[in-house]
Amino acid sequence: MRSSLLADAPAIREPQHAPVAHVTRGGVVEGVHYGSVVVLDGDGGVRSSIGDIEAACYPRSALKPLQAAAMVRAGLPLDGALLSLAMGSHSGEEHHLAGTRMILELAGVSEGDLRNIPDLPYAPAVRDAWVRGGREPSRLAQNCSGKHAAMLYLCKLSGWPLETYLDPAHPLQRAIAEVVEELTGQRIANVTVDGCGSPLFSVSLHGLARAAASIATAAPDTAERRVADALRAHPEMASGTGRDTAELMRAVPGLLAKDGFEGVQVAALPDGRAVAVKIADGADRARIPVTAAALARAGVEPRLLAGFQGAQMTGGGRPVGGIRPVAAPGPPPPPPDPIRFTT
């Protein structure tokens, strides 16, 4: 039963994003990325924010640790690398494919039972090698296959229908929705379909940060702690070799982090400090620099974040600029003049 203590669902509206990063070239601001950022203290209070942290948004794959926690609560027996893969947006490397096959084997099902979309591997180098080898898109190679295999495994163990496991009314998806609401502390604003075909729940950026903090600070012997331990110990299984979120977790001790398409990133420390980022235009180049700046505002030592400042802008083969996160929100823009029609 859903708690009556949950906050109302966040408003579905056009988010009032603000500048979060400047793209500079030769000392001039050449471009501006808008977005929203929230930084939480260890007690859950908002230390700082930029933009609109309360509007409904889609966390995309940043929701996967919450989905994994719900599945572990419901009886998913995975741990370690395979549990990290179950919340992964993997690169399609051979160890990701082997891990997904292992989960399917444990479930007694096959790749044909997956309902995610066939795709090529996510990582460019892996994808290129895949194509050169004459291999076709497959459900196994698609970056969410570990999550889908885990969903099938739980359904098989629970006696739930396999064919309809992506239906929002399915017992699996209802169980996930309840845990998403519990961990974010608010009701879901809207349900749609994610790129892989699974239900996607809309929450606020603030709620997403709260959920990450709850998982990062979970007590031993809880589902959330199993999820946190698996992701921290095996970050590459949830992403891939050299991927920025895995590198960030390796650089900052105890950090739990997950990225999502359309410029979403969430990260939380073991003491409950947490950040969540949404880049309005979905540009991936701004996601990690803005996240690093938010973690610095949360109190992470700057030296640990030195490698996450974003790509340099080059001219003639030499550096001439870069991505500079905005330290604080500027004043709100003035309201537009009313449109007047004359005759």
Side-chain angles (χ1 to χ4, degrees), residues 160-316:
W160 295 334
L162 301 185
E163 298 80 7
T164 57
Y165 76 92
L166 296 183
D167 188 328
H170 191 281
L172 167 68
Q173 302 301 339
R174 292 204 307 268
I176 290 174
E178 289 189 9
V179 173
V180 168
E181 290 191 330
E182 177 188 332
L183 295 180
T184 61
Q186 60 189 181
R187 300 193 184 281
I188 291 166
N190 194 46
V191 181
T192 189
V193 182
D194 209 340
C196 65
S198 67
L200 177 61
F201 307 114
S202 181
V203 297
S204 71
L205 202 64
H206 190 181
L208 182 64
R210 278 196 299 263
S214 181
I215 294 172
T217 60
D221 300 320
T222 63
E224 289 81 3
R225 180 61 173 269
R226 278 174 56 188
V227 165
D229 287 347
L231 188 54
R232 286 173 178 139
H234 305 277
E236 287 83 6
M237 285 298 282
S239 54
T241 304
R243 293 267 296 277
D244 52 25
T245 296
E247 295 292 320
L248 185 64
M249 291 181 66
R250 294 291 188 197
V252 181
L255 187 71
L256 182 147
K258 186 70 186 76
D259 55 334
F261 279 162
E262 295 300 322
V264 180
Q265 182 78 50
V266 67
L269 293 153
D271 63 2
R273 289 173 291 160
V275 306
V277 170
K278 165 65 181 173
I279 306 301
D281 60 2
D284 208 45
R285 69 179 182 181
R287 173 179 51 83
I288 281 292
V290 172
T291 299
L295 286 169
R297 289 197 291 274
V300 174
E301 293 182 51
R303 65 178 180 83
L304 300 176
L305 303 167
F308 303 96
Q309 305 308 308
Q312 292 181 325
M313 302 298 111
T314 60

Side-chain angles (χ1 to χ4, degrees), residues 13 50 83 94 116 251 306:
R13 63 179 182 235
I50 299 175
L83 180 54
E94 286 303 322
N116 60 325

Side-chain angles (χ1 to χ4, degrees), residues 21-197:
H22 293 153
V23 181
T24 66
R25 180 178 293 270
V28 173
V29 175
E30 183 176 37
V32 180
H33 288 291
Y34 281 68
S36 295
V37 181
V38 60
V39 179
L40 300 185
D41 283 322
D43 62 2
V46 176
R47 176 177 293 194
S48 69
S49 68
I50 299 175
D52 193 345
I53 66 171
E54 304 297 353
C57 70
Y58 289 121
R60 302 299 297 269
S61 286
L63 196 69
K64 285 176 179 174
L66 285 67
Q67 293 171 314
M71 288 193 282
V72 172
R73 284 196 194 184
L76 182 69
L78 297 178
D79 280 298
L82 293 183
L83 180 54
S84 183
L85 180 61
M87 65 188 98
S89 306
H90 65 70
S91 290
E93 297 168 78
E94 286 303 322
H95 59 276
H96 297 128
L97 307 185
T100 302
R101 291 191 192 99
M102 188 177 298
I103 298 172
L104 292 173
E105 183 177 340
L106 289 169
V109 298
S110 70
E111 182 179 349
D113 294 300
L114 294 169
R115 293 291 180 265
N116 60 325
I117 59 170
D119 202 355
L120 296 171
Y122 175 73
V126 181
R127 181 171 60 248
D128 291 348
W130 186 282
V131 173
R132 285 196 303 270
R135 303 170 77 174
E136 298 292 327
S138 77
R139 299 184 191 276
L140 200 67
Q142 197 270 335
N143 73 92
C144 301
S145 63
K147 178 184 76 174
H148 283 256
M151 287 180 170
L152 282 172
Y153 189 13
L154 179 56
C155 287
K156 192 71 176 291
L157 291 173
S158 303
W160 295 334
L162 301 185
E163 298 80 7
T164 57
Y165 76 92
L166 296 183
D167 188 328
H170 191 281
L172 167 68
Q173 302 301 339
R174 292 204 307 268
I176 290 174
E178 289 189 9
V179 173
V180 168
E181 290 191 330
E182 177 188 332
L183 295 180
T184 61
Q186 60 189 181
R187 300 193 184 281
I188 291 166
N190 194 46
V191 181
T192 189
V193 182
D194 209 340
C196 65

